[in-house]
C-alpha cells in the first residue's frame, strides 16, 4: 500500500525538496514484504483471526524473529494491523492476498515478473532487443506459467460472451492463434454447433483439459506449435489474434497479418483483441500506469509493446483487409476488438 504521507511531507517529496524516489523505494520494499507474506501464507494463516508472532511463525513454519520483523514492516505498509491479540490482516490484505485464487494469482504472477524478469531491463532498453525470452523463461517456471494461464483464462471467461456477440461467424472454421487456454474457441463452438476451431499455442499453454471438460474434443483441436512458423492452412472463416500482436515487433506483426490474410477465405474475418495506448478515462491513473508497465514488459520480454488501435488498423489495410472497425469492450474498457474482412 502506498504509505500515507502527511500533506507537508508529501509536498516536500513531490516538489523535489526531498528525493521523491525514496518514497518509490519504500513502495518497492512494501511490495516486496507483501509478496513475501503472500508466498509464506501469512494472510491465509490470519484468515480466522489475529495471531501473535510466535503463533503466526508456527502456523506458516517460519522463523519467529523473521516473522516478527516482517509483520512489523507490514503494519507500517498497511497490510497488517497490530491488535491486542497479535497481528491481523487489514481488509485489503484479507480480501485480495489471502490464498492463491482469484486476484491473488495476478499478484503472484507480477511479483515474479518484477522481481526476476525485469533484472535485465536496462539491457533491453540499451540494445532495443529483448534481454530475455519471456516464454522460455515461463516454460522453466511451471508455477508462474500456471498463474499466467489461470489469469488469462479468468479474463477470457469474463469476456467470452461479449466477444462472442461481436464476432460475425456462425459456422465454418476458426483458427485461434495463441489461443492457449482455448476459452474463446470453446465458447464460440458452444454457441454455434456448425463451427470447428483449431487452437495453436506452445505445448505447455494448451488447455486440453478444458476442451475435454466441455465435451468438444471432436470440434476443438488443440495444436502444439509456433504460429510464426507453422503452416496456417487456407479457407478459414475466422482467425482470432487475441492478445497476440502486442508480443511482436511491427515488422513481425505485418508479416503475421499477411499470412493470416492468406489463411482466410475471401471475405473471411480477422479478429484482433488488444489493449490500446488510448486508455479510456474510466481506467483511471492506475489503469494508465499499468498500461505503461505492461508495454515496457512486452518490450523487455518479447520485443513487442502496446500499440495504438489505429496503427493496427493501418497494418490490416496494408495486408489486404477491408475497412477495419474497432469496438471497446464494455466488460473491459481497456480492451479493443478490431475486426476486418479479407478483400475478395
Ligand atoms: C497473452 S496470451 C493470450 C492468450 C489468449 N489468446 C487470450 O487472449 O486470452 C498469448 C498467447 O500466445 C502464445 N504464444 C506466444 N507466441 C507464440 C508463438 N510464436 N506460437 C504459438 N503461441 C504463441 C502464448 O503461449 C500465450 O498463450
Amino acid at each position: 500500500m502506498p504509505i500515507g504521507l502527511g500533506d507537508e511531507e508529501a509536498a516536500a517529496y513531490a516538489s523535489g525538496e526531498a528525493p521523491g524516489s525514496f518514497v518509490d523505494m519504500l513502495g518497492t520494499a512494501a511490495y516486496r514484504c507483501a509478496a513475501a507474506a503472500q508466498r509464506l501464507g501469512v494472510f491465509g494463516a490470519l484468515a480466522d483471526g489475529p495471531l501473535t508472532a510466535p503463533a503466526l511463525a508456527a502456523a506458516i513454519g517460519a522463523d519467529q524473529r523473521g516473522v516478527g520483523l516482517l509483520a512489523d514492516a507490514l503494519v507500517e505498509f498497511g497490510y497488517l494491523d497490530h491488535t491486542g491479540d497479535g497481528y491481523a490482516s487489514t481488509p485489503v490484505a484479507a480480501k485480495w492476498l489471502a490464498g492463491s485464487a482469484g486476484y491473488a494469482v495476478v499478484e503472484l504472477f507480477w511479483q515474479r515478473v518484477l522481481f526476476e524478469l525485469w533484472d535485465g531491463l536496462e539491457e533491453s532498453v540499451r540494445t532495443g532487443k529483448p534481454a530475455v525470452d519471456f516464454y522460455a523463461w515461463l516454460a522453466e517456471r511451471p508455477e508462474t506459467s500456471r498463474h499466467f494461464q489461470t489469469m488469462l483464462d479468468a479474463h477470457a471467461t469474463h469476456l467470452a460472451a461479449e466477444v462472442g456477440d461481436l464476432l460475425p461467424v456462425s459456422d465454418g472454421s476458426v483458427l485461434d492463434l495463441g489461443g492457449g487456454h482455448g476459452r474463446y474457441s470453446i465458447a464460440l463452438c458452444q454457441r454455434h454447433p456448425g463451427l470447428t476451431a483449431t487452437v495453436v499455442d506452445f505445448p505447455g499453454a494448451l488447455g486440453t483439459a478444458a476442451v475435454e471438460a466441455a465435451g468438444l474434443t471432436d470440434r476443438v483441436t488443440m495444436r502444439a506449435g509456433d504460429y510464426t512458423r507453422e503452416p496456417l492452412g487456407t479457407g478459414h472463416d475466422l482467425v482470432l489474434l487475441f492478445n497476440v500482436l502486442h508480443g511482436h515487433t511491427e515488422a513481425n506483426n505485418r508479416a503475421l497479418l499477411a499470412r493470416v490474410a492468406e489463411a482466410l477465405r475471401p471475405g473471411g474475418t480477422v479478429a484482433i483483441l488488444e489493449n490500446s495506448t488510448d486508455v479510456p478515462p474510466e481506467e483511471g491513473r492506475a489503469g494508465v500506469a499499468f498500461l505503461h508497465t505492461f508495454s515496457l514488459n512486452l518490450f523487455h520480454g518479447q520485443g513487442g509493446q502496446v500499440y495504438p488501435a489505429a496503427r493496427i488498423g493501418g497494418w490490416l489495410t496494408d495486408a489486404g483487409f477491408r475497412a477495419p472497425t474497432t469496438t471497446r469492450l464494455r466488460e473491459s474498457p481497456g480492451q479493443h476488438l478490431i475486426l476486418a474482412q479479407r478483400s475478395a
Side-chain angles (χ1 to χ4, degrees), residues 82-86:
H82 204 180
T83 72
D85 298 323

Side-chain angles (χ1 to χ4, degrees), residues 84-154:
D85 298 323
Y87 296 97
S89 294
T90 56
V92 167
K95 179 167 180 183
W96 301 108
L97 298 181
S100 54
Y103 175 75
V105 173
V106 175
E107 297 276 347
L108 289 168
F109 171 73
W110 276 97
Q111 286 158 17
R112 286 285 182 245
V113 167
L114 294 174
F115 299 147
E116 294 178 19
L117 190 78
W118 278 34
D119 244 1
L121 183 60
E122 301 89 304
E123 192 189 333
S124 295
V125 173
R126 194 180 304 117
T127 63
K129 302 220 161 52
V132 281
D133 176 338
F134 172 69
Y135 286 109
W137 176 86
L138 206 55
E140 288 167 6
R141 290 163 178 77
E143 190 193 25
T144 306
S145 183
R146 212 171 38 253
H147 292 150
F148 180 60
Q149 288 301 334
T150 303
M151 212 169 70
L152 295 173
D153 193 338

Side-chain angles (χ1 to χ4, degrees), residues 37 63 72 213 215-216 224 242-243 247 257 262 264 272 278 298 326 337:
D63 176 70
D72 286 341
L216 283 170
F242 283 5
N243 300 300
L257 290 175
E262 282 171 19
L264 282 165
I272 294 168
D278 28 77
L298 293 166
T326 300
L337 184 70

Side-chain angles (χ1 to χ4, degrees), residues 186-280:
I186 291 170
L188 280 174
C189 287
Q190 283 171 331
R191 180 185 280 241
H192 304 294
L195 209 59
T196 59
T198 303
V199 177
V200 182
D201 209 306
F202 296 132
L206 291 172
T208 311
V211 175
E212 283 166 5
L216 283 170
T217 48
D218 54 336
R219 289 171 51 217
V220 179
T221 304
M222 299 304 247
R223 196 203 302 161
D226 178 340
Y227 57 63
T228 63
R229 295 163 199 261
E230 296 268 316
L232 303 181
T234 54
H236 296 292
D237 297 276
L238 174 67
V239 175
L240 307 184
L241 286 169
F242 283 5
N243 300 300
V244 156
L245 299 187
H246 64 214
H248 302 287
T249 59
E250 169 161 351
N252 288 346
N253 281 329
R254 284 181 177 279
L256 180 60
L257 290 175
R259 292 178 62 231
V260 165
E262 282 171 19
L264 282 165
R265 65 165 171 77
T269 301
V270 62
I272 294 168
L273 189 64
E274 278 295 343
N275 284 96
S276 172
T277 46
D278 28 77
V279 185

